[in-house]
Amino acid sequence: MIYRVIALLSLASVLALTSQPALAQAPKEVVIGVLYPLSGPVAQVGIDSVNAVKLVTEMINSGGSSLNLPLGKTAGLPGLGGAKIRLVIVDHQGKPDVGQSEAERLITQEKVHALFGAYFSSVTATASQVAERYGVPFLNAESSSPGLTDRGFKWFFRTSPHDGHFSVAMFDFMKDLEKRRNLKIKTLGIMHEDTLFGVDSAKVQEELAKKYGYDVAVKMAYRAKTTNLEAEVGKLKASNPDVFLPTSYTSDAFLFVKTAKNLDYNPKLLIAQNAGWTDPTFLTEMGKDAEGHITRAPFSIDLANKKPMIKPVNELFKKLKDNPGGRDISDVPARAFTGFMTLADAINRAKSVTPEEVRKALAATNIPAEQLIMPWGGVKFDEKGQNTGVRAILLQVQKGAYATIYPFELAAADVVYPMPAWKDRK
Amino acid sequence: MPRARRIVLGGLALLALLAFPLVFTLPFPRHLMITIFLYAMLAQAWNLLAGYCGQISLGHAVFFGTGAYTSTILVNQLGVTPWAGMLVGAVLAIALSQAIGYPVFRLRGHYFAIATIAVGEIVQTLMINWDWAGGARGLFVPMKRPDSVVNFQFHDSKQTYYYIALGLLLLALWITRRTERSRTGYYFRAIREDQDAAASLGIPVTRYKQRAMALSAGLTALGGTFYAQYILFIDPESVLPLSLSILICLVAVLGGVGTLWGPVIGAAILVPLSEGTRIYLGGTGKALDLLIYGALIMLISVIQPGGIMALAQRGRRRTG
Amino acid sequence: MRGRLPAVTVEVLLQGVVSGLMMGFVYALIAAGLSLIFGLMEIVNFAHGEFLMLAMFATFWAWALWRLDPLVSLPLTAGVLFLLGIATYHGLIRWILAAPMLAQIFATFGLAIFLRSLAQALWGVDFHLVKDPWVQGRVSLGGLFIGLPQLVASVGALVAFVFLNWFIGRTETGLALQATAQDRQAASLMGIDTDRMFALGWGIGSACVGVAGALLAIFFYIFPDVGSTFALMAYVTVALGGFGNVPGTLAAGVVVGLVEVLGGLLIAPALKYVAVFLIYLVVVLWRPQGLFGRF
């Protein structure tokens, strides 16, 4: 008896999951699949990014915006007769195999016209592989592993800078700082967490170090989400590099700062690879301890001085109903905002949802700098699908807030060098 | 149930499974079944060691990863067909299992379980730091088109993957069934019930534990190669984590350890549940799907520790 | 191994020893609770890490809502965890006392997943920190730096540990606990209510983790997953010291703490957990019941 019950239950659940009614596609609708991590330790970034995507969708669908963005002035996508965008949002839980099967499900069952996501470079890699196989456009707005565009995929486009760009900015900064302040930087210390993000980042940094003529005094990997960084900081103190380059997600960034404070490790210059160091909670939780840290970023709120559109966009972002905490738009969601707008713009210009048309339109994208909230030269893709208009900026924590310090033409404040030692902080 | 009826029902079930991909042609239903088959097979492999022989390993992902990495590295470095890589992977996993078993089988109960966790963590950490084998970045199996059996890659449809997965599961079931009825199986159970009594009866305990370990490890490794060729990307986080080892056990425990069909039932319930809760409840970032998952596991452990199979047997005895 | 690592100086090594020692006491306290529970009923609480996480959150909310410093809310947190332990016993554990080991493992595993997801559902995934606790800053001894929060945490853990041992060894209830652990049947024949002892064991074991959590919350960041990182160290500590041997967990905790830091310094930070697990394997292979365990 129970066998039958179980067999029936299993069969029923399998059938329930598999027989999605093929949604009668109203011709007036564009469906986009959105993949982000919505559970687990980095879920907040995923949630914020999804909110940014929702913001763009709302702006486009309701129209009436006065902002100088590619879309949003009239309701819907004018190139498709006012068609509205519908999102199908999935949580990939940070797992590449889930990302892959979800991408496939979105394409074959939800019949999305394009895919967008996925933050983690490893998940973006597998999900975009599915898109490549099915011939569906995949737009990535924030994964930073350079390898993603090196694959030469036809259907993969990335608007964001990757670690190569960021690291070049960091090293250019170091060289320019040496000239400006008349000092000599000789040694570097590289510390990175041991997932794809950290490993790729460290690799690029090591290569650039050679190119720019710096000596890597210490390079170490550490287990992500560790409970204890005493050994690592101990080694840093011992080797005392002129510049310290960490690559960490949020929890490790916290732990590092606290450990450095305890062990009195005072690097003169600390330049971080974003992620944990630009997490909105980093500043609020670290308070004075974060003072002086420099991080690369593609975006910063204080750029509003030079890019006035940032302020109204941020206000709209804070008012979203799925953003009950009223969080400011930060780096990753800002990139999601820009990327999604790019995708919508391409579909609009294609005047069609046929994959090949959308792809051609994406390849022909040319969004000028004034229409972006990012400090980029524009959005224009090269033959590998990488946006060539990207520009990285460097931020430094000064007086409790991020200030843009590089490139010097965009800088809102001057660099504080060296970083204040722990005993000098009040 | 009389034997004739069992055979007929079994035959019908098999036919239904064989016909499934012909009826359900979309990728997702097939993917669901493939996932069920894979987990059922992994759980069955684990069941051999833990359910029948009583050695509770919480580090089985090590063998899964061995299979996945061996075949992938051989494909990428030497261009060897993944089928050969699968066999080599299984052999390596067996060798590894014997090397692990030799010291670790001296331990009992919880010490043994934690030792298997320790081994699993060590291997995962080492792989993360082994750059030649991909390290933290993992390894891609380059897409090869057109589809070919030799290359073990099928992109136009999941059908062949489906049948291979089903085949692996049937293999695991067959091995378990044969072991169950053999003297080896008898020894396994004796060791599980009371290791010392078994020894005093003259059963070479360690030798049979190692045998269970070998069978278990080899089968698990086959699943690893399948995974690698199915997803075309592996990294330490996806093929070696503790969470995978736990999940494998969970499937078997839910269905009923030490039984032939337990792992299959466990997978048939857990996989749709996991996929379903993620798809329908997971998009909010509130981990509701995991909440239900955890509650369910607790419930099962309390209500019927013997798993679904025990529930079934209890029912049968009552009506019987 | 990749990475360039400079040689380690004596100063750095000594610093490592101090740090490892301090962390070791905290591991010991967390493990003590586990060991106590196991000694009584041979069940490993695989949700122990999540109990720690809840204790840290309790401390955080006491601070966020009522501005209570962790040291002030510590008794409160310990009390809450004590109740949680008892509730877990009555709600879950009591039903699986006779179940096979596997079911027991998974019952608490399910609890762990449940609690972790509950925390995420209720409080989100963001990191939280107690800001400006009473204890902050550091002292400098010789060339060594000792963070005051870490020092307080480790001393606090040590004190709690000693207290626990005194309780088990010297009070009537403690002796009753020991009796129940040694021989359940004989204890009940002597008139000890074994059910009550079990519940008490869970309560005290959880209270230990409550104290540890409150102390850690002074300087550690708090988020739903935080338990898993400590839990593994705790399991290794318990097994190393010998399941059921509460005093043994002190030595084991210190070993784990030291190996973690020194392994990182001397071998490579990326491999420090490998060092911990290897030491565990080496020890239990030499003594299968752990350093001080009884079979």
Side-chain angles (χ1 to χ4, degrees), chain B residues 84-102:
Chain B
M86 197 188 227
L87 284 170
V88 176
V91 169
L92 268 177
I94 292 177
L96 183 64
S97 77
Q98 302 299 289
I100 294 174
Y102 180 64

Side-chain angles (χ1 to χ4, degrees), chain A residues 40 44 206 218-219 221 225-228 230-232 235 237 251 258 261-264 284-285 327, chain C residues 2-4 15 19 27 125-127 129 131 138 145 150 219-221 229 260 265 269-270 272-273:
Chain A
Q44 193 60 60
E206 221 180 350
V218 57
K219 174 173 173 260
K225 292 201 269 164
T226 179
T227 57
N228 181 327
E230 308 256 342
E232 289 80 352
K235 284 207 181 284
K237 267 190 85 174
S251 61
K258 287 207 162 281
K261 188 170 173 192
N262 280 332
L263 297 180
D264 200 35
T284 50
E285 301 292 341
R327 292 164 65 90
Chain C
R2 59 171 145 76
R4 248 156 294 185
Q15 180 74 62
S19 308
Y27 287 148
V125 283
D126 262 346
F127 291 81
L129 270 181
K131 282 188 277 230
R138 58 163 201 263
F145 292 96
Q150 281 79 353
F219 60 92
F220 214 81
Y221 43 84
T229 20
E260 189 190 356
L265 281 174
K272 64 185 179 193
Y273 291 122

Side-chain angles (χ1 to χ4, degrees), chain A residues 209-287:
Chain A
K210 242 182 278 187
K211 237 178 87 176
Y212 283 65
Y214 295 119
D215 180 39
V216 179
V218 57
K219 174 173 173 260
M220 51 188 169
Y222 70 89
R223 194 71 194 266
K225 292 201 269 164
T226 179
T227 57
N228 181 327
L229 283 172
E230 308 256 342
E232 289 80 352
V233 175
K235 284 207 181 284
L236 282 169
K237 267 190 85 174
S239 51
N240 202 19
D242 293 323
V243 182
F244 175 52
L245 304 169
T247 304
S248 318
Y249 285 113
T250 319
S251 61
D252 309 329
F254 274 97
L255 188 57
F256 171 79
V257 173
K258 287 207 162 281
T259 312
K261 188 170 173 192
N262 280 332
L263 297 180
D264 200 35
Y265 171 53
N266 297 302
K268 284 183 274 195
L269 201 59
L270 185 158
I271 312 179
Q273 277 277 35
N274 188 23
W277 302 82
T278 50
D279 188 303
T281 38
F282 184 70
L283 275 185
T284 50
E285 301 292 341
M286 291 275 98

Side-chain angles (χ1 to χ4, degrees), chain B residues 108-132:
Chain B
R108 308 252 193 139
H110 291 97
Y111 296 97
F112 174 80
I114 294 194
T116 58
I117 295 181
V119 169
E121 289 290 299
I122 290 175
V123 172
Q124 189 185 10
T125 308
L126 289 177
M127 287 310 284
I128 288 176
N129 288 283
W130 190 9
D131 286 335
W132 177 81

Side-chain angles (χ1 to χ4, degrees), chain C residues 73-265:
Chain C
S73 61
L74 190 145
L76 194 70
T77 308
V80 167
L81 265 289
F82 180 82
L83 292 172
L84 177 66
I86 295 190
T88 306
Y89 171 74
H90 281 297
L92 181 66
I93 308 298
R94 191 145 57 101
W95 311 101
I96 54 163
L97 281 176
M101 182 167 104
L102 209 46
Q104 295 173 338
I105 291 178
F106 283 99
T108 53
F109 242 111
L111 182 63
I113 297 176
F114 184 79
L115 290 176
R116 204 184 309 178
S117 331
L118 190 65
Q120 184 175 333
L122 289 176
W123 304 313
V125 283
D126 262 346
F127 291 81
H128 300 282
L129 270 181
V130 170
K131 282 188 277 230
D132 279 332
W134 288 352
V135 183
Q136 42 181 315
R138 58 163 201 263
V139 288
S140 179
L141 285 169
L144 299 176
F145 292 96
I146 301 183
L148 277 173
Q150 281 79 353
L151 184 64
V152 166
S154 66
V155 168
L158 193 59
V159 167
F161 193 89
V162 167
F163 179 77
L164 179 72
N165 272 287
W166 169 82
F167 180 83
I168 295 179
R170 300 272 178 214
T171 64
E172 205 179 305
T173 324
L175 289 169
L177 274 170
Q178 276 194 53
T180 317
Q182 275 183 3
D183 191 332
R184 201 186 302 180
Q185 278 182 310
S188 73
L189 284 174
M190 302 268 291
I192 296 175
D193 181 351
T194 48
D195 193 56
R196 194 164 151 257
M197 284 299 119
F198 286 170
L200 193 63
W202 269 86
I204 296 178
S206 310
C208 288
V209 123
V211 171
L215 292 169
L216 279 173
I218 300 178
F219 60 92
F220 214 81
Y221 43 84
I222 303 159
F223 62 106
D225 262 4
V226 73
S228 50
T229 20
F230 285 98
L232 264 181
M233 293 293 107
Y235 300 135
V236 171
T237 305
V238 177
L240 195 61
F243 275 102
N245 186 312
V246 175
T249 58
L250 186 63
V254 167
V255 169
V256 170
L258 284 173
V259 171
E260 189 190 356
V261 178
L262 295 179
L265 281 174

